[in-house]
Amino acid sequence: EAQVTQNPRYLITVTGKKLTVTCSQNMNHEYMSWYRQDPGLGLRQIYYSMNVEVTDKGDVPEGYKVSRKEKRNFPLILESPSPNQTSLYFCASSLVPPQGHVLTFGAGSRLTVL
Amino acid sequence: GNSVTQMEGPVTLSEEAFLTINCTYTATGYPSLFWYVQYPGEGLQLLLKATKADDKGSNKGFEATYRKETTSFHLEKGSVQVSDSAVYFCALLNRDDKIIFGKGTRLHILP
């Protein structure tokens, strides 16, 4: 089944404790992206990647890192999480425009930073 | 700049009512337009799309028409069901290949 898999789905952590949210897709998509979803703010893009070893900042990259060493994986790293990073995070992937521009989303990872 | 504005929710309707969720956009050129739906506890999934003016996207009884003259892409359904309860996002793909989402509209359908 074609899908985007995120882990963990739920995480409670404390301020300053490094964490990684993994994202993997099995559709051979070049494009991958991370979003955070907050009430009243909708979806905001954190980072995206057009292909292996190519990453770019989205609208709200502060406090996050990403890497794209393999085509299928795009982990989101919070080096020193803070409470304002409590949010619902989504990974998404697609073929590269113009051949593709429909995003396939993961089920989401709900992060709470105490 | 490019932006998407959609009606604020929540929108509450009774089953079998007619639904309209308004969406307008600001963009240079002719962006592709999308509606995504997010069911409770799930990620977003594509509901329908339109790539040029006057195109009508449709899926699962939902429709939206790309109106260039009013820069709108309103979502409609003639008879909603309880299972349509979800959050709906309007989005555009701009000339820089960036996808921009609206803030989402939560829809509650009462039995």
Side-chain angles (χ1 to χ4, degrees), chain A residues 37 45 90 101 103 105-106, chain B residues 34 36 38 43-44 89 98:
Chain A
Q37 183 178 21
Q45 190 177 46
F90 288 100
H101 45 257
L103 291 168
F105 281 81
Chain B
F34 308 84
Y36 281 82
Q38 183 183 27
L44 282 72
F89 290 89
K98 181 177 173 65

Side-chain angles (χ1 to χ4, degrees), chain B residues 23-44:
Chain B
C23 171
T24 57
Y25 67 90
T26 302
T28 51
Y30 303 98
S32 294
L33 301 173
F34 308 84
W35 277 100
Y36 281 82
V37 59
Q38 183 183 27
Y39 297 106
E42 299 183 11
L44 282 72

Side-chain angles (χ1 to χ4, degrees), chain A residues 6-104:
Chain A
Q6 301 178 221
N7 281 296
R9 294 287 314 278
Y10 302 92
L11 179 62
I12 300 174
T13 189
V14 296
T15 300
K17 186 175 182 182
K18 180 179 178 180
L19 68 92
T20 299
V21 185
T22 63
C23 174
S24 180
Q25 50 93 4
N26 62 0
M27 296 165 283
N28 204 35
H29 285 169
E30 296 92 351
Y31 179 88
M32 297 186 75
S33 181
W34 277 102
Y35 296 88
R36 59 178 289 174
Q37 183 178 21
D38 301 289
L41 298 176
L43 281 172
R44 294 180 292 170
Q45 190 177 46
I46 303 171
Y47 269 94
Y48 65 97
S49 169
M50 298 295 283
N51 214 326
V52 176
E53 301 294 358
V54 180
T55 62
D56 282 294
K57 296 178 180 178
D59 300 314
V60 288
E62 295 78 19
Y64 304 94
K65 287 175 59 176
V66 292
S67 67
R68 187 87 183 274
K69 294 185 171 60
E70 306 164 282
K71 197 172 188 179
R72 63 183 295 126
N73 295 323
F74 191 46
L76 180 70
I77 303 157
L78 286 73
E79 293 271 3
S80 182
S82 62
N84 64 12
Q85 293 178 297
T86 293
S87 186
L88 179 58
Y89 291 86
F90 288 100
C91 181
S93 72
S94 75
L95 294 170
V96 176
Q99 288 84 1
H101 45 257
V102 173
L103 291 168
T104 300

Side-chain angles (χ1 to χ4, degrees), chain B residues 83-96:
Chain B
S83 57
D84 293 326
S85 298
V87 182
Y88 293 81
F89 290 89
C90 187
L92 67 81
L93 177 72
N94 71 8
R95 66 199 311 176
D96 298 320

